[in-house]
Amino acid sequence: MPPLKHPSYNPGRRQFIKWGIGGAAASVLPFGIAFARQKTQARILILGAGAAGTAMANRLNNALSGASITIVGKRPQHYYQPGYTLIASGLWQTEQVATPTRNWLPSEISWIPSDVAELFPAKRAVRLEDGQTLEYDLLVIATGCQLNYSEIEGMSPDLVGQKGIGSVYASAEGATATNRQIESLISAGEGRALFTLSDTPIKCAGAPLKMIFTTLSRLEDTGKRDAFQVDFFTPFQNKVFSVPVYNDFVLNRWQEQNVNLYDQRVLTAIDVEKQEATFTTANGQRQQEAYDFIHIVPPMSAPDAIRYSVLAWQEGPMAHQWLEIDQYSLQHRRYPEIFGVGDVIGTPFGKTAASVKKQAPVAEANILSYLADRPLAAKYDGYTSCPLITSIGKAILAEFGYGGELMPSFSFIDPTEESWAVWVMKEKMLQPAYYAMLNGQV
């Protein structure tokens, strides 16, 4: 480990930080509402400059006075990833989802365009890919998740857009390339389209379903739907979505639309030249399936720097894959000065932009309480929202939390019914709300 930039953390600094808080802490209300900015001299480091990291940077900058806040993340562009399915469905252009990262960060915050390479929680320090080593008093991990295309033999993100391969997750450009492959399938007038699902937790679990539904709409619009075979491969038994009411809706609709379901099958290899996918069944058998188009959902995990560190879950179903976190307080279970927000955290639900909108104020409130030596009172209930597109022009607003409990936000929208209104919300209204979240306004 390279030499640290500052003297190693000593126990006296925690008390020093507490003294710097002052009386403003008493005015902090639940979920980050404050009458005055809370004073502190804490060094706050945020890993990840995506949706979760940016929202936290703005919230903490607004809530604290005197803090030194640094955010790290190497992407020069910020991408509105909920728009990727619309790009891949031929409805949006790439430029509609890209903005400069710097535009979303307050001038008072230091931004280092580099990703984290290694963490040293015992020393409260991290090393970046550019070689810098940074110390912190409080760490927010918001790195997002890692797309592990290489865990599928023969696959890499560079192949998206080639020889019938699509994947909405790869990038904004990958979404555009996916649309081109779907257009090629349609132009051919016939063919077999495969849609897959990973056996790991994934961000925006509705995206694979959205892609098959919008593709079905486009095939039906040709008037030659019967010329196309459409199949969905899921690693699970008779399951494509974790909440039963939505899972049942999708499976029933697919029966009506003549979509074939192949369950308990994991995509394990791809032969690009042969246009052949290999799936491994529950009993270990390998089956080859030919395709004209395939939509690939890669296995996902926390970035390697997180999942191979002591900060990851060490046991249980999320072991060595996701950040260990208390699912309610969003505080690390073994390192109280560490909090997690966004796709990187190992919780039962919560890998959507709407989840970040609910997590950020909880994390903010609990961080303020931690800095003030107060009990952590704010709780995240697992809220996850997915405008589940069921055809081009219709969608269901799926909102749920821990235990799969439905958590509808609008009394006038039935959370189990598809409607044009939810489609309009997805296509026209959610992006401005997302940008307000980035700014720490909601």
Side-chain angles (χ1 to χ4, degrees):
M1 173 180 171
L4 297 177
K5 286 188 170 182
H6 307 287
S8 296
Y9 179 90
N10 63 76
R13 181 164 176 80
R14 180 76 178 89
Q15 188 66 32
F16 176 73
I17 293 167
K18 184 178 72 173
W19 288 340
I21 288 170
S27 69
V28 178
L29 299 178
F31 299 96
I33 301 172
F35 294 113
R37 296 176 73 190
Q38 182 168 302
K39 295 180 181 179
T40 181
Q41 295 182 3
R43 298 167 299 177
I44 298 175
L45 179 61
I46 300 171
L47 303 182
T54 301
M56 288 306 301
N58 280 293
R59 282 186 166 274
L60 293 176
N61 184 66
N62 293 336
L64 295 171
S65 173
S68 172
I69 302 177
T70 300
I71 186 169
V72 302
K74 68 180 179 182
R75 280 189 181 177
Q77 293 286 99
H78 182 96
Y79 291 97
Y80 174 65
Q81 295 185 36
Y84 286 8
T85 51
L86 296 174
I87 294 173
S89 300
L91 301 170
W92 278 22
Q93 300 299 314
T94 304
E95 56 267 22
Q96 289 178 255
V97 300
T99 52
T101 296
R102 178 77 262 182
N103 287 3
W104 300 108
L105 299 175
S107 58
E108 303 94 328
I109 289 180
S110 298
W111 171 39
I112 301 175
S114 179
D115 287 338
V116 62
E118 195 170 2
L119 297 101
F120 308 99
K123 296 184 176 181
R124 299 195 182 190
V126 304
R127 180 172 59 82
L128 305 184
E129 289 180 347
D130 66 5
Q132 293 187 69
T133 297
L134 305 176
E135 289 187 320
Y136 59 82
D137 298 308
L138 186 135
L139 179 67
V140 179
I141 298 179
T143 55
C145 67
Q146 180 172 276
L147 307 176
N148 298 313
Y149 284 100
S150 62
E151 293 183 9
I152 301 169
E153 181 184 343
M155 182 59 193
S156 78
D158 297 337
L159 295 174
V160 175
Q162 300 183 38
K163 294 185 177 295
I165 295 177
S167 181
V168 74
Y169 289 102
S171 62
E173 293 75 18
T176 298
T178 298
N179 177 53
R180 288 197 295 267
Q181 294 302 305
I182 296 172
E183 288 178 340
S184 295
L185 173 72
I186 293 170
S187 296
E190 60 180 0
R192 186 185 188 194
L194 309 185
F195 293 81
T196 70
L197 189 61
S198 172
D199 61 346
T200 68
I202 59 174
K203 62 179 177 178
C204 191
L209 312 182
K210 297 174 190 179
M211 286 312 305
I212 192 170
F213 277 125
T214 58
T215 302
L216 285 167
S217 280
R218 299 168 78 177
L219 295 178
E220 290 163 358
D221 286 345
T222 67
K224 301 178 181 179
R225 166 65 182 88
D226 292 343
F228 299 91
Q229 179 178 337
V230 181
D231 303 326
F232 194 91
F233 290 75
T234 174
F236 312 107
Q237 187 170 15
N238 206 38
K239 186 175 79 170
V240 297
F241 202 78
S242 57
V243 180
V245 66
Y246 300 122
N247 184 68
D248 293 346
F249 173 91
V250 171
L251 295 183
N252 290 335
R253 178 59 58 86
W254 284 354
Q255 281 190 326
E256 297 171 3
Q257 295 180 296
N258 295 319
V259 173
N260 304 302
L261 180 70
Y262 294 80
D263 64 359
Q264 297 184 286
R265 287 168 170 81
V266 179
L267 177 64
T268 50
I270 196 94
D271 189 318
V272 181
E273 296 305 319
K274 290 184 179 180
Q275 292 192 227
E276 187 176 80
T278 298
F279 293 88
T280 300
T281 66
N283 59 12
Q285 292 184 331
R286 288 165 66 89
Q287 297 179 347
Q288 282 73 43
E289 302 284 348
Y291 62 83
D292 297 291
F293 170 80
I294 183 170
H295 181 263
I296 293 177
V297 179
M300 300 183 196
S301 69
D304 286 347
I306 307 296
R307 70 165 168 166
Y308 296 135
S309 78
V310 297
L311 296 179
W313 282 97
Q314 301 300 298
E315 57 184 22
M318 300 184 197
H320 311 297
Q321 295 296 319
W322 302 100
L323 178 68
E324 182 179 343
I325 215 81
D326 179 88
Q327 68 183 49
Y328 301 107
S329 70
L330 305 180
Q331 183 184 43
H332 199 279
R333 285 159 36 101
R334 289 175 284 120
Y335 295 89
E337 69 279 0
I338 297 176
F339 291 79
V341 181
D343 295 342
V344 68
I345 63 177
T347 56
F349 291 114
K351 297 190 188 303
T352 67
S355 303
V356 172
K357 180 177 176 292
K358 292 290 187 177
Q359 291 167 7
V362 171
E364 175 198 350
N366 286 338
I367 286 170
L368 298 186
S369 294
Y370 171 80
L371 292 173
D373 278 341
R374 295 162 59 89
L376 277 53
K379 295 187 182 300
Y380 171 59
D381 56 12
Y383 178 84
T384 303
S385 175
C386 172
L388 180 58
I389 297 171
T390 55
S391 66
I392 294 179
K394 288 185 179 180
I396 294 174
L397 186 56
E399 297 179 282
F400 49 91
Y402 292 142
E405 178 186 356
L406 298 190
M407 303 178 69
S409 299
F410 307 98
S411 59
F412 56 89
I413 294 178
D414 188 324
T416 63
E417 295 290 336
E418 58 188 340
S419 72
W420 170 80
V422 178
W423 168 266
V424 172
M425 181 182 295
K426 163 67 177 174
E427 190 183 19
K428 304 294 185 184
M429 300 169 62
L430 292 187
Q431 191 173 25
Y434 173 93
Y435 288 149
M437 178 192 74
L438 288 191
N439 278 325
Q441 297 171 350
V442 295

